[in-house]
Amino acid sequence: QSTWGDFVCVSASVSFMHRAPLTVSNGSSKLKAPTNFKRPPPIKTDLPAKSTTPGSTPTSGSSSASAKAGVTAKATTLRSASSVATRSATTTTGLANRKRKADAADLVPPIAKKSPRSTNTTPSGATVPSVPAVSLEVHQEEEAKLQALRTELSHKQDRIGDLNRRKQELFAQVTQAESNIEDLIRNKEDLEERRKTSLEMHDMEVDSIQSQKDMLEVQLQSTQLQLNQINEDNQRLEETIHGQDVQMKDLETAKSNLSEDLQLSEQQLRDKVTVIGNKKDTIERNKQRIKYLAEESVRDEEIRKKLHNMIQELKGNIRVFCRVRPRLESEKIDEEALHFAEDDETSITVAGASEMSVDGQREQNREYRFNFDRVFKPNALQHEVFQEISQLVQSALDGYKVCIFAYGQTGSGKTFTMEGGKGSQRSDLNKGMIPRAVDQIFASIARLQHKGWTYAVSANFLEIYNESVRDLLATSSAAADESKCDIKHGMHGDTVITNVTTVTVSSAAEVDPLLVRASQNRAVAETKCNERSSRSHSVFQLKLVGTNSLTQQSISGQLNLIDLAGSERLRTSKAQGERLKETQAINKSLSALGDVISALASKDKHVPYRNSKLTYLLQHSLGGDSKTLMFVNVSPLPQHAHETVCSLRFAAKVNSCDIGMAKRNAKFSV
């Protein structure tokens, strides 16, 4: 029974092994016998192999052909290896099939022949079958065959694994060879491109040489023409020389005739010398007359200056001009707030200004009338305004200190009056008082040169911002902020600004860039009252030092043109933050200016000039050593009527001040 059971188990194992693919352990990896091995497709190549002659140098084409021939040989080797692997797999499959048939035959037990020897009888009479000895021997033989097949299968699988690895190596070599071929093809293309480029450059050089040759041929033809022209010129010169020889003979004849005429002319010259001597005496007498007239002209100029200053003194040292700005296109009003008399150019009436009653219960509208030295209506042009102050500007050339400043609420046209239009409004028609005064001064200097006067002119531009003095002629706004300027008054009425940029100018054209630079550095900002409000007081100073070579007289004058910041109420401007601080500083300085004017009007012994930087700077201009004029600028809008009245009241107080007679800075050198 045990023998039969072992036979059944071995047969089942053999059958199972034939049904499943066999695996053989080889170290850590397992090789599996392929059941569906396919022959790899042959490697295709379109490049024919070329052999190189021994001893010759291979070119790019021969190298490429050799590489392709090597690839073809390797591909052939790979195909042979694949065929061997295929045949091995086929042999293994046949052996496995034969083994399965043998196993199937072994599983069926042979039929025993009936023989008295084939049965055994038990004591009870039962018959027991005996196991035949032939089947056991057959099983052992088949087991040995199976073991041999397993060994052979293991060897075949190892061989197949080696062939597969060799196949992969050959595939890698083929891929590398194809990559090398592509590199060789690219190198060939690069060499071909270089050859084409070299040929093109060669063609270009040939064309260039041909062009040079053509140019040289043209030059040769031109040179030949010039040579021919020179030969013709030489021939003409020879003819000219011959003609000049003839003329020389004629000139010698004329020379003898001229000698006789020369003797006659010398006699006439002696007569004329006598006449010239008489005329020299007449010229000397005329020079003496001219010198006398020049001295008379100088004396007349001195008289004119004295009369001019007398006229200014009769008008008052502090004069006030009122100017009303025109309405803008965007400003529409139903009722005029300002009224002017038709034939009177010195009065203005403000209507519609509301005031609270004494008990504070109601508002009442009143009309206010003011009189000034001159009132300019909204249609007045810049040159008309300057015509009224031109004589005052002339006083600076005569050795006086002149101060002209503009006062008024923000948005009333002060900066336009003093500096003129900006941007699209910049034109000769809109030039302000500062550029017009500069033009007049240099025009007067040019006229006074023939009277012996020469002037040295220097200019500076500064501003007072938040009670600090800044240099507007600094190279940049940051440099202006860093400059620390201070105001100092001398013993003789001189005012000096420390750390300020002073520029010597010789013409009006040199002043214009200074005005532009100062305008860029000046502090401006947008408020509820004005979209471009000046947040500082600007001061333009022009110092004039003149000497007369005829009278040995020297004078020193100064022209101060000041644009004050606009007065505004906090409830109207609604300033906050930095704008609030600026507004408070502006109102404080203007209030200090009002205190100074009140002290001068009441002739107080103490005048509070030091209460602000502005009044301290204008100390000598307001204190009797200067000729002073103030523009009060007002707005025509009814909603500004209250501010207009305040400005006009302050201007009327200034107009009532009597600060004494101005002094002229002049001396004679010994």
Side-chain angles (χ1 to χ4, degrees):
Q1 293 178 353
S2 61
T3 303
W4 177 252
D6 295 337
F7 173 76
V8 172
C9 292
V10 171
S11 298
S13 300
V14 172
S15 177
F16 176 76
M17 290 175 63
H18 278 286
R19 284 194 301 271
L22 298 177
T23 58
V24 179
S25 175
N26 184 14
S28 60
S29 62
K30 291 184 178 181
L31 298 177
K32 183 177 182 180
T35 60
N36 55 351
F37 179 82
K38 293 183 180 180
R39 183 179 180 180
I43 299 174
K44 295 182 180 180
T45 174
D46 297 333
L47 299 177
K50 292 184 181 180
S51 61
T52 58
T53 303
S56 62
T57 303
T59 62
S60 61
S62 62
S63 300
S64 177
S66 300
K68 293 178 180 179
V71 172
T72 304
K74 291 181 179 180
T76 304
T77 303
L78 179 60
R79 286 195 293 271
S80 299
S82 300
S83 300
V84 172
T86 304
R87 288 195 297 271
S88 299
T90 304
T91 302
T92 304
T93 304
L95 292 174
N97 291 332
R98 288 197 300 270
K99 181 61 179 175
R100 282 196 297 271
K101 292 179 181 180
D103 291 341
D106 293 339
L107 291 176
V108 178
I111 302 174
K113 294 180 179 182
K114 294 182 178 181
S115 175
R117 299 176 184 177
S118 59
T119 58
N120 294 324
T121 304
T122 60
S124 60
T127 302
V128 178
S130 61
V131 177
V134 178
S135 297
L136 181 60
E137 293 175 356
V138 171
H139 174 71
Q140 291 177 352
E141 290 176 1
E142 291 298 329
E143 181 69 24
K145 290 180 182 180
L146 179 61
Q147 184 66 28
L149 288 175
R150 288 177 180 174
T151 303
E152 184 180 0
L153 178 61
S154 176
H155 292 321
K156 294 295 182 179
Q157 288 176 344
D158 292 341
R159 179 59 178 169
I160 290 172
D162 294 338
L163 290 176
N164 286 334
R165 285 191 297 274
R166 180 59 179 169
K167 174 185 174 183
Q168 292 177 358
E169 291 175 358
L170 290 176
F171 278 150
Q173 292 177 3
V174 169
T175 303
Q176 181 64 30
E178 290 178 350
S179 176
N180 293 336
I181 290 172
E182 292 178 356
D183 293 340
L184 290 174
I185 292 173
R186 284 195 296 270
N187 292 336
K188 177 184 176 182
E189 293 176 352
D190 292 341
L191 291 174
E192 185 67 23
E193 185 67 24
R194 292 179 183 175
R195 186 182 67 82
K196 291 181 181 179
T197 304
S198 178
L199 290 176
E200 291 177 357
M201 292 179 64
H202 178 71
D203 294 340
M204 291 175 63
E205 291 178 357
V206 172
D207 294 341
S208 177
I209 293 172
Q210 185 64 33
S211 300
Q212 294 179 1
K213 177 184 175 183
D214 296 340
M215 292 177 61
L216 290 175
E217 290 178 352
V218 173
Q219 292 179 0
L220 180 60
Q221 294 176 359
S222 176
T223 304
Q224 187 65 36
L225 293 175
Q226 292 178 359
L227 181 60
N228 296 336
Q229 184 66 31
I230 290 172
N231 292 333
E232 294 177 358
D233 294 341
N234 288 336
Q235 185 177 359
R236 286 195 298 270
L237 287 174
E238 290 176 356
E239 294 175 356
T240 303
I241 291 172
H242 178 70
Q244 288 179 351
D245 291 338
V246 176
Q247 292 179 0
M248 182 66 71
K249 294 178 181 178
D250 296 337
L251 289 174
E252 289 178 353
T253 302
K255 178 181 177 182
S256 60
N257 297 330
L258 289 174
S259 298
E260 297 177 357
D261 295 339
L262 179 60
Q263 294 177 358
L264 180 60
S265 298
E266 288 177 351
Q267 182 60 37
Q268 294 176 355
L269 180 60
R270 286 192 290 270
D271 297 338
K272 289 182 178 179
V273 167
T274 303
V275 175
I276 290 173
N278 296 332
K279 290 184 177 180
K280 283 183 178 179
D281 296 337
T282 304
I283 290 173
E284 188 64 27
R285 289 192 296 271
N286 289 337
K287 286 183 178 180
Q288 295 293 333
R289 179 64 178 171
I290 291 172
K291 183 179 180 180
Y292 173 77
L293 292 176
E295 294 175 354
E296 286 291 327
S297 176
V298 172
R299 287 192 291 269
D300 292 343
E301 180 66 18
E302 291 292 332
I303 294 173
R304 183 200 65 77
K305 292 179 180 179
K306 291 180 181 180
L307 293 175
H308 169 70
N309 292 325
M310 289 176 62
I311 293 173
Q312 298 298 324
E313 291 168 2
L314 290 174
K315 290 183 177 180
N317 283 334
I318 297 184
R319 292 189 295 161
V320 177
F321 289 169
C322 176
R323 186 179 188 185
V324 182
R325 73 163 176 84
R327 293 197 308 271
L328 303 178
E329 295 180 357
S330 59
E331 297 174 344
K332 297 180 180 180
I333 57 177
D334 298 331
E335 184 180 357
E336 296 290 343
L338 303 179
H339 301 282
F340 309 93
E342 294 183 1
D343 300 331
D344 189 3
E345 296 182 345
T346 61
S347 64
I348 181 174
T349 302
V350 183
S354 60
E355 284 188 352
M356 295 297 296
S357 60
V358 177
D359 55 6
Q361 298 297 323
R362 67 184 185 281
E363 291 187 357
Q364 54 186 2
N365 295 331
R366 296 181 55 186
E367 290 187 354
Y368 300 89
R369 181 183 177 88
F370 298 92
N371 291 309
F372 300 104
D373 295 288
R374 179 66 188 271
V375 175
F376 295 98
K377 298 178 182 180
N379 58 356
L381 301 177
Q382 293 281 68
H383 71 88
E384 296 177 0
V385 178
F386 182 75
Q387 186 65 30
E388 289 295 323
I389 69 170
S390 60
Q391 293 181 353
L392 195 62
V393 174
Q394 183 66 32
S395 297
L397 284 172
D398 297 340
Y400 289 91
K401 295 178 182 177
V402 177
C403 178
I404 301 175
F405 62 94
Y407 174 87
Q409 70 185 88
T410 182
S412 59
K414 300 183 300 300
T415 303
F416 179 82
T417 299
M418 299 303 293
E419 299 181 11
K422 297 181 180 179
S424 60
Q425 296 182 350
R426 188 178 180 86
S427 63
D428 292 338
L429 183 64
N430 292 333
K431 289 176 66 174
M433 302 300 107
I434 294 178
R436 290 179 184 273
V438 172
D439 292 342
Q440 177 180 329
I441 285 176
F442 282 104
S444 300
I445 289 174
R447 288 195 302 268
L448 292 174
Q449 286 182 353
H450 74 280
K451 296 183 180 181
W453 284 100
T454 57
Y455 284 87
V457 184
S458 60
N460 61 66
F461 214 139
L462 54 93
E463 72 172 351
I464 300 176
Y465 175 74
N466 285 348
E467 287 301 305
S468 62
V469 182
R470 300 173 69 247
D471 183 11
L472 292 181
L473 296 185
T475 55
S476 64
S477 180
D481 294 335
E482 294 176 359
S483 62
K484 297 181 180 180
C485 304
D486 194 12
I487 304 171
K488 295 183 179 180
H489 295 300
M491 297 295 295
H492 302 287
D494 298 331
T495 301
V496 178
I497 311 297
T498 60
N499 297 328
V500 69
T501 302
T502 301
V503 181
T504 301
V505 292
S506 58
S507 65
E510 296 179 3
V511 180
D512 290 339
L514 303 181
L515 300 180
V516 174
R517 189 196 308 175
S519 178
Q520 293 174 350
N521 291 336
R522 188 178 180 187
V524 294
E526 181 180 359
T527 65
K528 294 293 184 179
C529 300
N530 189 4
E531 64 179 7
R532 186 175 173 82
S533 175
S534 299
R535 314 306 295 167
S536 64
H537 310 298
S538 69
V539 181
F540 175 73
Q541 292 183 332
L542 205 63
K543 296 182 180 180
L544 311 168
V545 178
T547 56
N548 192 308
S549 59
L550 300 178
T551 62
Q552 304 301 318
Q553 184 182 10
S554 62
I555 60 175
S556 176
Q558 181 171 329
L559 178 63
N560 297 321
L561 300 172
I562 304 171
D563 177 18
L564 299 179
S567 61
E568 58 186 35
R569 298 182 182 274
L570 291 176
R571 65 184 181 185
T572 304
S573 64
K574 298 180 180 179
Q576 297 178 354
E578 189 67 21
R579 302 288 86 80
L580 175 61
K581 182 179 178 181
E582 293 170 352
T583 302
Q584 291 173 345
I586 292 170
N587 292 338
K588 177 184 176 182
S589 60
L590 294 178
S591 177
L593 179 61
D595 295 339
V596 169
I597 294 299
S598 298
L600 292 174
S602 59
K603 299 186 180 300
D604 293 344
K605 293 182 179 180
H606 173 70
V607 180
Y609 291 112
R610 293 181 176 271
N611 286 357
S612 73
K613 294 285 186 180
L614 174 64
T615 55
Y616 190 59
L617 177 64
L618 300 179
Q619 179 175 347
H620 293 304
S621 299
L622 301 175
D625 194 19
S626 173
K627 296 179 181 293
T628 306
L629 181 141
M630 184 183 82
F631 281 104
V632 54
N633 294 79
V634 295
S635 170
L637 303 181
Q639 59 266 31
H640 297 159
H642 185 73
E643 288 291 337
T644 299
V645 171
C646 294
S647 298
L648 294 178
R649 283 175 175 172
F650 177 78
K653 185 182 294 185
V654 173
N655 200 19
S656 64
C657 290
D658 181 11
I659 60 176
M661 185 179 297
K663 297 179 182 179
R664 183 188 182 197
N665 298 320
K667 62 181 179 179
F668 291 89
S669 60
V670 180

